[in-house]
Structures are given as C-alpha cells and as structure tokens.
Amino acid sequence: MYINANGATVSSLVPPAYSRPAQLSAGKSQHLSALLKPIMGEHRLIGYEFGPFRLLPSERLLLRDGKPVAVTPKVFDTLLVFVQQQGQLLSKDELIKLIWHGGIVEEGNLTQNIFVLRRVMGESPNDHRYLVTVPMQGYRFVAKVREVYDESAPATGPLVSAQSPLALAVLPFNLLNPPAGEHFGGLGITDTLITKLTKLKQLAVRPTNAILRYTDAPRDLAAVGRELGVEAVLDGTIQHLGERVRVNVQLVRVDGDSTIWADRFDETFTDAFAIQDAISERITQALQLEFGGPVNGHAPPPYTRDLEAYQLYVKGRYFWNMRTEKGLKTSINYAQQVVDAYSDNALGYVGLADSYLMLGEYLYLAPDEAFPQAKAYALKASELDEGFARPWASLAEVALFYEWDWDTAERNYKRAIDADPNYAAGLHWYGWFLMLRARFDEALEYLKRAQALDASSLSLGTDLGLPFYFGRQYDRAAGQFRHILELNPDFWQAHYYLGAALTHAGRHDEALAELAQMPPDEQQQQTSALIAFNYAVSGRPQRAHELLRALQQSARQRYVSPYLEALIYAGLNEREHALARLNAAYKGRDSWLVYARVDPFLDSLRAEPRFREILQRVGLAP
C-alpha cells in the first residue's frame, strides 16, 4: 500500500500474483504503514543538521563534514531520538522506551550508548555542546538542529518517517504435512526471505543463525521476539494440498502480541526449491509494498537451492556454535554429509573449514592438524562461489591464527564483510583481529555490529567485554561478563573471562571460584593454566607447579599449548622457562601466540628483549 501526496492510501498497486485473505478484525491488527509514520508536506524530510554533523535516518548514515562516521545501530538510534526531541528533557526511562520500544533493557546499555555518542561528537567532560546531563532527571540535546528537505522530490511516493528501521525476526516456517519423498522444509524459505528482506532499508532483519534454535520448537512469538531483541516477528506455516502448496504468514508485534499483518499464498507444486523461491518472492513483494521503497534484485544464494544440503548445514552449525570438542566433531559429520551428497555446494566446505578452525583456535587439535585442513576446505568453497562471503572470513582466520599474515587476514575479513555486511561471524572475527592489534575502540564497534545482528548470542555478548579486558579496564570488563551470567549462569565463556578479569584485578580467591564453575570436560588446559597462574601470583607456587606438571603429562595423549605453559611460568616469575616455551610456541605455530601483544598474563615479560623479538617475528611489534 502506498500513500500519495494528499495523504490518501492507494491499494490498487497490490500485485494480482497472490490472493489476500479476509481483513483481520478491527482493533486486533494494524497496517504496517502505521509503524512507519509518513511525513507530509511540499517536500520530503530527509535528515537533520547540527554543528558539523548531518544525520540521514533513511540511509542510517551519520556524516561529519561530509564524511561518514561509524556508529553502531543502537548508538545511531540514540542520537536520532535526541535530535528528534531536541531541547526536551528526557528521562532514562523515556529514552529506553523510545530507543528500545519498550523492551527490557539494562540501564547500563543506555549509559554506554551516551558515552559513545559523546565521544563521537568530540565532547570533553567539561564541554557539552550537544548533550547536557541534568542530575537525577535525565538528558537534553541542546545543539541547534536544522531539518533538511529533499527539495527536488515532492512527496508523491511512498514516504517513510525518519525513524529507525523496524527490527524483525523471520522464524523457520512450520511444515504441516511434507510431500512424500521431498526434502521440503521451512528453513529454505526462511533463509531466502532473510536474504531478500535485508535489502529493505526500512527493516533490520536478524540473520539466519540467530533463529535456528526455534526450528521445530513450540514458541510464544512475543517471548521469542523479546529474546531476539526485535519489535516484530514474521512466522508462517506450509501446507501441501494435493498439487498445491499453501503458505500462511503473519507479522506479530512483540509489544502487545498483536497481529500487524497477515496473508496467504498459494502455489502450484513443481519442486521444492521452485516453491521456496516463489513463496519467498511473493512475501517479499507484499512487505515491499507495505513498507514502500525498492528491493534490490538479488537471486537466492546458490547454496540454498539444495534444501537437504542446507538443512544438514544448519544442523551442523547448531553444534558448531557450542564451541565444544564434541559439538565441533558433530558439526564436521554434518558438513561431510553435505560434501558427500552435494560436492558442488559451497556450504559443506564452509562447514568443514569453520569446524577445523575452531578445533585449532580452541586448542582441541594441534595447529598443523587443524589449520591446513581449514584452509583447503575454505579455498574449495571460494572456488565454487567466489562471491560467497563466508569462505573469505574463514581464510582470514587461517591467515591470522596460523600463517600470521596480518595484511592478508585484514584484507580477507574486509572482503567477507563487503560481500555480506550481515554475516555476523565475519564482523565478530574481524573484531577479534582488531583487538589483537590493540585497536580496541574499532574492535568494540565491530563486535557491537555483530551483536546487533545476533542479539541472542551469549558468545557475542561475552566478547563485548573483551576490548575492555585487553585494554586493562578489568572492572568494566567484569561487569559485562557478569551481565551475561545473569542471563545464563552456566555459560562457560563468561565464567572463564570473568575469572581472568578478576585475576588481574588481584581478586584471586574470587577468580578461582569463577574458574571452578567451568565444565570439567571442556577447556581443560586453558582453565588449568589460569588456575595455576592464580596460585603462582598469590603465594601458592607448589600448587601451581602441580598443575603445570599435570598439564605437561597430558601432552602424551593430546595437544597441549606451549603458550599456556609460558603463561604459568610467567606467573611463577620463572622467566627463562617462560621465554623458552614462547619460543616453542613460535616454532610450533601455536595459534594462541597471536594474543601475546595484548595478553595481560604476559605483562611481566614485556621488558625482556627476547619477548619483543618473538613479537617481531609474529608480526606483533607495536
């Protein structure tokens, strides 16, 4: 539906390609255009100017002196609210309601956004040209704001308000009665829909990996939406009726659990992937008309055309996300099934590459066993589909953790991000790269971008604390790790990094208590090393030596990282042994050696010329 220059709705543009069900009952639904308040007038409002800044909401762009300024989505939303409410005193509760649309959010998230915003605008502690804090009351945006209109374009087309995009999650469609002998499921339609809908600037769509957990699971749509941090959820069912396929879809608003829009689509059944393409195209067209604005033509990714292969990959990715040794080996099994059955499908090779990457990075396999295999599989995937983002991110990881080729790694990370800006793993991994180069502010921005795409990821939430940890802001880092543990007290990564942060804050008994929460079958050598370090620096060297000997004995059965041995020796102040093990780590291409520049566990060695020489050889010299 479009809105013309006179404010009237025009429905004749709805394509005849799909049938529309009876209207939803009044009072229980609202049209999508109600979510996107139109701006009427002789010309269209396109943005705002204040000081040297120009804010363009529809393009999600902030310019300073004509040059783009990188900000995370929620920082952008925070600035937009302040600009639109210029001069008004806004309480914290009001700001949270306006920015997160009534969602349950920690006050610290707002405080962090405002902190970043002030830094972006160049404000000092005593100079508040833009934002003024009113003690015990809230904040006021005091800079003069000028509205900017597009004078060349009268408001005759679909108009969208200068507000943030609608945050949307597309859940896996439920298959009510699958056709016999067909690998036909909702994930294929869902993934293709997500790919298409991300092209609508008015939508901020969660990536596929964020919604996998809801496959074939009973769900409360409003609750799911809150878990994913979105305003609306698109859900659907697929039903096979003789030679036809019927898909029913509904868009539900999280706040209030009300149906915004619903429709039904019928297609003649030809084959599974043809139905997938047709249905996803119809739904996208419908939402496009509701929202206004073109969707760039984008064919479904070739790797989704084999639905069985795609579903095998998805199952493997679920286990891959666990980051446990057992989970990664299960992921390899699923990826191998894809390769065996569909040798020309790039997804199978990406699944294998990323599984071997994690086996190497988490020290489950020796570097020479893990990374060459990861590289071979990633190269195969890139040969099958050169424009596919994921293998380039995988190749960047190999260049970083095994080849120590920092320039190639950064180039490949950027290539992956350019190919798919919504690939959360690519943004996540590049954030790690930036941390290891001590570029902490940049790292935090990329980690936030990744988390915005996968808001429910506890791993990403934990990693938001790492730029502060590696930057020696241990209390701030610990606060983020504790926040994740409030969400899930059993999440081992948060316990691990909280234990590390408490170690360097000198709170060794608390650190040992956190590390005791680690699961006994996972991360054994890493956890043992951190416990031993705590014993060493808190006056219990005998306990530290006992753990070190046990770690060295376990090397008879599996790979043990010399880097971790060096860490324990550093805690014991046995520098010669520490440097010897770091040299062994260099010779064995230990993947953890890339942490040496920023790792606080090695701070006692930084004055040693031999330590600086190792950094130089790995390409980490400041």
Side-chain angles (χ1 to χ4, degrees):
M1 186 166 288
Y2 284 88
I3 304 172
N4 66 18
N6 298 318
T9 57
V10 181
S11 60
S12 60
L13 294 176
V14 176
Y18 63 88
S19 59
R20 183 177 296 277
Q23 292 293 322
L24 297 166
S25 58
K28 292 187 178 181
S29 66
Q30 54 180 314
H31 195 277
L32 279 180
S33 58
L35 297 175
L36 302 171
K37 185 173 60 179
I39 304 170
M40 295 302 168
E42 182 180 355
H43 298 291
R44 183 170 50 160
L45 178 66
I46 61 170
Y48 306 89
E49 289 183 346
F50 51 96
F53 296 97
R54 174 174 279 207
L55 186 67
L56 302 174
S58 64
E59 299 181 36
R60 303 288 293 170
L61 187 62
L62 175 65
L63 303 174
R64 179 176 185 140
D65 296 324
K67 297 180 180 179
V69 179
V71 293
T72 63
K74 280 304 176 188
V75 170
F76 185 95
D77 293 345
T78 304
L79 176 59
L80 183 57
V81 165
F82 276 124
V83 167
Q84 292 180 328
Q85 304 290 329
Q86 186 267 343
Q88 299 295 315
L89 177 62
L90 299 172
S91 69
K92 291 182 178 179
D93 288 342
E94 289 172 323
L95 285 166
I96 288 172
K97 183 177 181 180
L98 288 168
I99 297 166
W100 282 275
H101 308 284
I104 300 174
V105 178
E106 291 286 332
E107 185 179 300
N109 292 342
L110 173 65
T111 304
Q112 172 67 14
N113 283 357
I114 292 173
F115 171 80
V116 173
L117 197 52
R118 281 179 161 152
R119 187 181 63 197
V120 166
M121 295 188 296
E123 288 194 335
S124 65
N126 299 315
D127 175 23
H128 298 306
R129 290 165 291 165
Y130 301 100
L131 272 175
V132 170
T133 302
V134 181
M136 307 300 292
Q137 295 186 57
Y139 302 90
R140 179 182 281 118
F141 193 83
V142 296
K144 184 178 180 180
V145 175
R146 184 175 74 87
E147 294 181 342
V148 180
Y149 291 87
D150 182 0
E151 298 181 359
S152 64
T156 58
L159 301 177
V160 178
S161 72
Q163 60 178 267
S164 59
L166 183 74
L168 174 68
V170 184
L171 298 186
F173 285 18
N174 287 321
L175 187 59
L176 301 182
N177 55 341
E182 291 287 349
H183 300 292
F184 182 55
L187 276 174
I189 289 178
T190 301
D191 187 70
T192 306
L193 263 175
I194 289 171
T195 300
K196 289 177 177 292
L197 292 176
T198 53
K199 301 301 176 181
L200 279 171
K201 292 181 179 180
Q202 297 90 338
L203 297 176
V205 186
R206 293 291 180 261
T208 303
N209 66 306
I211 53 88
L212 295 181
R213 73 174 81 174
Y214 305 106
T215 305
D216 299 325
R219 57 223 184 191
D220 176 333
L221 296 184
V224 168
R226 287 189 289 271
E227 288 176 8
L228 293 170
V230 297
E231 300 161 81
V233 173
L234 183 68
D235 194 24
T237 60
I238 306 169
Q239 188 175 10
H240 194 258
L241 304 170
E243 295 183 354
R244 299 189 66 79
V245 171
R246 172 168 294 173
V247 177
N248 290 290
V249 294
Q250 61 172 333
L251 187 64
V252 175
R253 181 129 199 175
V254 173
D255 183 12
D257 196 15
S258 59
T259 299
I260 301 168
W261 169 83
D263 219 327
R264 183 181 70 238
F265 305 87
D266 291 315
E267 275 291 333
T268 301
F269 187 86
T270 52
D271 57 63
F273 63 79
I275 290 293
Q276 168 189 307
D277 294 349
I279 294 297
S280 61
E281 184 63 31
R282 298 285 176 82
I283 295 172
T284 304
Q285 287 176 356
L287 288 180
Q288 177 185 346
L289 288 172
E290 295 283 359
F291 278 100
V295 179
N296 296 331
H298 187 88
Y303 56 81
T304 64
R305 300 193 72 84
D306 301 314
L307 295 186
E308 181 184 29
Y310 181 72
Q311 298 215 34
L312 287 169
Y313 170 81
V314 165
K315 290 177 181 177
R317 210 67 174 179
Y318 170 80
F319 290 102
W320 179 81
N321 274 310
M322 293 179 178
R323 297 299 199 270
T324 63
E325 184 174 14
K326 182 179 179 180
L328 292 170
K329 289 180 178 179
T330 303
S331 175
I332 287 175
N333 178 54
Y334 279 110
Q336 189 63 53
Q337 290 182 55
V338 177
V339 169
D340 290 343
Y342 303 90
S343 60
D344 61 345
N345 190 308
L347 268 185
Y349 296 99
V350 169
L352 289 170
D354 288 355
S355 296
Y356 280 104
L357 279 175
M358 294 300 106
L359 286 171
E361 292 176 27
Y362 282 79
L363 306 179
Y364 297 124
L365 280 183
D368 288 342
E369 294 180 65
F371 293 104
Q373 291 194 76
K375 183 173 185 178
Y377 289 126
L379 285 172
K380 179 64 175 178
S382 68
E383 291 169 6
L384 289 169
D385 186 354
E386 188 176 353
F388 191 19
R390 300 181 190 193
W392 295 107
S394 307
L395 289 168
E397 290 284 282
V398 175
L400 170 61
F401 282 98
Y402 185 67
E403 298 171 340
W404 302 332
D405 184 345
W406 298 84
D407 291 340
T408 297
E410 184 159 27
R411 185 166 58 250
N412 285 340
Y413 285 126
K414 289 181 176 179
R415 181 167 182 173
I417 293 168
D418 288 344
D420 185 356
N422 293 317
Y423 182 37
L427 296 165
H428 183 191
W429 293 348
Y430 185 48
W432 269 96
F433 171 92
L434 293 168
M435 278 191 287
L436 301 180
R437 303 297 287 179
R439 294 157 59 181
F440 301 126
D441 290 342
E442 292 176 79
L444 184 60
E445 292 300 312
Y446 276 92
L447 292 172
K448 286 182 175 180
R449 284 177 60 184
Q451 198 211 24
L453 291 166
D454 191 358
S456 63
S457 170
L458 295 175
S459 180
L460 278 167
T462 301
D463 286 359
L464 287 176
L466 291 179
F468 304 113
Y469 169 76
F470 287 121
R472 280 42 175 187
Q473 299 181 53
Y474 300 122
D475 288 344
R476 193 168 180 183
Q480 180 63 25
F481 305 145
R482 286 195 175 99
H483 170 66
I484 298 301
L485 289 172
E486 289 174 4
L487 299 175
N488 185 342
D490 298 324
F491 191 61
W492 68 261
Q493 285 178 275
H495 282 297
Y496 179 87
Y497 285 117
L498 178 55
L502 292 170
T503 297
H504 301 298
R507 297 156 65 177
H508 301 294
D509 288 339
E510 292 178 61
L512 289 168
E514 283 301 323
L515 295 170
Q517 302 299 312
M518 292 289 291
D521 297 329
E522 295 299 335
Q523 306 297 305
Q524 289 180 332
Q525 59 175 306
Q526 294 94 318
T527 305
S528 292
L530 266 60
I531 292 172
F533 185 95
N534 273 280
Y535 285 143
V537 297
S538 61
R540 290 169 278 186
Q542 184 176 351
R543 298 287 301 277
H545 274 292
E546 289 173 359
L547 285 173
L548 177 59
R549 284 193 296 270
L551 193 63
Q552 292 168 337
Q553 288 172 2
S554 69
R556 300 172 184 172
Q557 284 79 41
R558 61 178 304 139
Y559 175 74
V560 169
S561 166
Y563 183 91
L564 293 177
E565 295 177 72
L567 180 153
I568 299 172
Y569 282 122
L572 289 163
N573 202 29
E574 298 181 20
R575 297 189 180 186
E576 288 297 324
H577 286 109
L579 291 166
R581 296 316 292 155
L582 286 177
N583 194 51
Y586 172 76
K587 291 180 179 178
R589 306 202 74 82
D590 190 318
S591 61
W592 277 39
L593 200 54
V594 297
Y595 297 110
R597 178 177 176 179
V598 296
D599 192 346
F601 283 99
L602 299 179
D603 281 353
S604 64
L605 303 176
R606 299 197 181 278
E608 291 281 347
R610 286 171 292 173
F611 180 77
R612 293 197 295 270
E613 181 184 347
I614 291 172
L615 291 182
Q616 181 77 35
R617 281 185 280 166
V618 181
L620 284 169

